Amino acid sequence: MPGENLSRDEARERAALLSVDGYDVSLDIRSAVVGGDEAPRTFRSVTTIRFRCSEPGASSFADLIAPSVTAVSLNGKDLDPSEVFDGSRIALEDLAADNELIVDAQCAYSRTGEGLHRFVDPEDGEVYLYTQYEPADSRRVFAGFEQPDLKAPFRFEVRAPEAWTVWSNGVGELSEGVWRFAETKPISTYITCVVAGPYHYVTDSYSRDLGDGTTLEIPLGALCRKGLAKHFDADDVFLITKQGLDFFHEHFDYPYPFGKYDQAFVPEYNLGAMENPGLVTFREEYIFRGKVTRASYEARANVILHEMAHMWFGDLVTMVWWDDLWLKESFADFMGTFANVGATRFEDAWITFANRRKAWAYRADQLPSTHPITADIRDLQDAKLNFDGITYAKGASVLKQLVAYVGQDAFLEGARRYFKRNAYGNTRLGDLLSVLEETSGRDMAAWSRSWLQTAGVNSLTPQVLLNPEGLVDELAVVQEAAESHPELRPHRVAVGLYRKGADGVVERYARVEVDVEGPRTVVPELAGAQAPELVLVNDDDLTYCKTRFDVGSLETLKAHLGDITDPLARALCWSALWNMTRDALLPARDFVDLVLRFAGRESDIGVLQMLHAWANSSLVNYVAPQWAPTGGRLLAEGALKELRLAEPGSEHQLAWARFFATVASGAADLQLLQGLLEGTAKIDGLEVDQELRWAFLEPLAAHGVADESALAAELARDDTASGKRHQVRCLAARPSAAVKAQAWAQVVESDALSNALVGATISGWNQSSQRELLAPYASKYFEVIERVWTDRSIQIAMDVVGGLFPSLQQSQATVEATDAWLAEHEEAAPALRRLVLEARDDLARALRGQECDATAG
């Protein structure tokens, strides 16, 4: 990574000096299928850039990361590559007013998911390529000015193996062995894209009457590896796509600007998806090889719509620099759910948002690395780490609050003006605030200071005083903030009052919307109401806050959480209780007890699966160590009970089966899992498909029941790319010192594994039942991470540093070892220190939770 870390100051200087008229990029990727699989591979990249310089005679640079450069020409003059190229930059001296730069380079195929990724399918030996650039990896494929505010039109041409098809942002045609693509609109380098290989390709089309006598026609395509074609439900992908295009055209009043709309599901993808205009890329795990729950289809729809929203928020209008990353990611995250609810069959998607998405935000906003939504991004390493829960989920939550604050109509009208004024350009925070101020009449500067330019999450707690008649005398909302981030924000909230009815169910009988400001806000409209048994201070999830409960409300939840009829209110209560567990305000064993008593009654499958994840996290991180064996036994017994009670063949049955596998540890549990695999045991209605087989095999491997030969046999049964990832994970999970040493060496000391197999190895290596086996690696971790950060690509370095932190060594000694490393490495890369600080904070939080839980024993 040395020399590759473009700074914000450098980008500003270059943007002030240069403007780009266009790129011609020619790639020759025929080498992708030549020679042995292990041979080093490069491809030829020839880039022509036409650009202007506002100060003739000045110097600048172009970006390129490549093993070698064959030739460089600037304004017709040949330059010596050895003199102008240092491995990541090409020096450009004595620029003219109008310039043409031609760079002929040998660029490297990637195995880390950064740049042009090359994947060999173990099932049939076919080779597949795709690009992934954000924030700054197009420079691994072609020379350019790698920053979002130097937009330009692009023309790509690609020479590929004869049997292949090639896709890019524009429409392509094959002529005389060369794929040539239509010139794009002005776009940033990081959203250009090439996908190539023998992909399975399905087409459809979308049309819309624009109301002005014209019809918008958008060719649609969807592609995946041939080995996944039998699982590819392209019809559903197209259905969501068309519903989304209808929704965004209705609300944005700006026709989709990028011609065609292809969606590529690609292997070994580091992200969920990427919004390349005209060619969106997704991780292929969104093609489901086995039975999944409705929550999985909802999540895929949300990602499809999130990326589609980017066509306007991010691609049409792009931030100047990564400081304002939220201008695209927060909006796309909000719009994904907004469109899911408004246009698709997933009408309850706000429940998922409240329960799952915001949990990501709450965690991120309490880390020492938390930052304002408009962040201070000094360089590209900062940018890479800022694709986090603040930028996405908190930002989306704040936008949901903004809609409540200014009104939906004013919000959408602001978006429409924003697109029309800034089309194909770059913007900053003020550009959006100005249009929202116009359309809403609100003081957006004050709102922005509170919500976008400060960090931290507020807590809202109800205070209820009753009069002698037992009615509400006064109900107030108390707002608190952490000492480290003391901002008390304005919140538009709904306060809901709930009681048990004669039939035993808990329902809302009063609701008032109120603006909460300062430390205490009285809600006069609720005076005189019947005494509540439960007060929900962020009912309907209008704001971003941690909900707390008064004593009476908490007692009601402990006794009657499963009786709350409204699924969103129930989800909000679960989320609040989980936050209390993480904050050491509720003993983790109490949370486990709530899951055991009430999760079986949860109707929303996404909430249920989240409860399973939280219960397992409670067991691994927050219960007192001496109670953990008891908690594990209770969860396994509870999961098996609910598995047997669930409707045969239902998605709830599938969710409980997967959770049972997660918590199974006793001999009887493992015997049942093995019996289900072998067909000697049966649970009515439970189909043990290939994906569920691997889910059952991991705990069997981790507890020494499934050995290497059993895992090899399973791979023979499922000799696919997915099967290989599962096998690698299960192999690393085995309870052997030799296995752990081998896995460590494969990840830390070698770069032979692809990004997907690095991730699988780390996932299998970390087993909570093997804390003693992993203990020797705590000290080794601190010895190697700086070298890993220096030597490996940033994506792999992030995976290793985050994944191998000794989080299972839950002791003060591990905290102290972390503090010692931080004290001794103050000059280490800030992004590396951030990852270590975050892991340390999670560990310290776990210890506080365990201390709280121990008091309950």
Side-chain angles (χ1 to χ4, degrees), residues 615-631:
N616 187 57
S617 181
S618 294
L619 184 66
V620 172
N621 298 305
Y622 300 115
V623 303
Q626 60 270 26
W627 191 80
T630 300

Side-chain angles (χ1 to χ4, degrees), residues 41-43 45 64-68 105-109 140-142:
R41 295 179 181 276
T42 60
F43 59 93
S45 168
L64 177 68
I65 297 174
S68 65
Q106 288 294 315
C107 296
Y109 293 109
R140 299 181 185 275
V141 177
F142 59 87

Side-chain angles (χ1 to χ4, degrees), residues 494-508:
V495 178
L497 306 185
Y498 292 75
R499 286 185 65 85
K500 295 192 303 295
D503 54 0
V505 300
V506 178
E507 294 186 308
R508 185 171 69 193

Side-chain angles (χ1 to χ4, degrees), residues 402-418:
L402 177 62
V403 172
Y405 180 64
V406 304
Q408 181 173 304
D409 291 344
F411 175 78
L412 290 171
E413 176 58 26
R416 290 187 281 268
R417 296 185 189 184
Y418 178 72

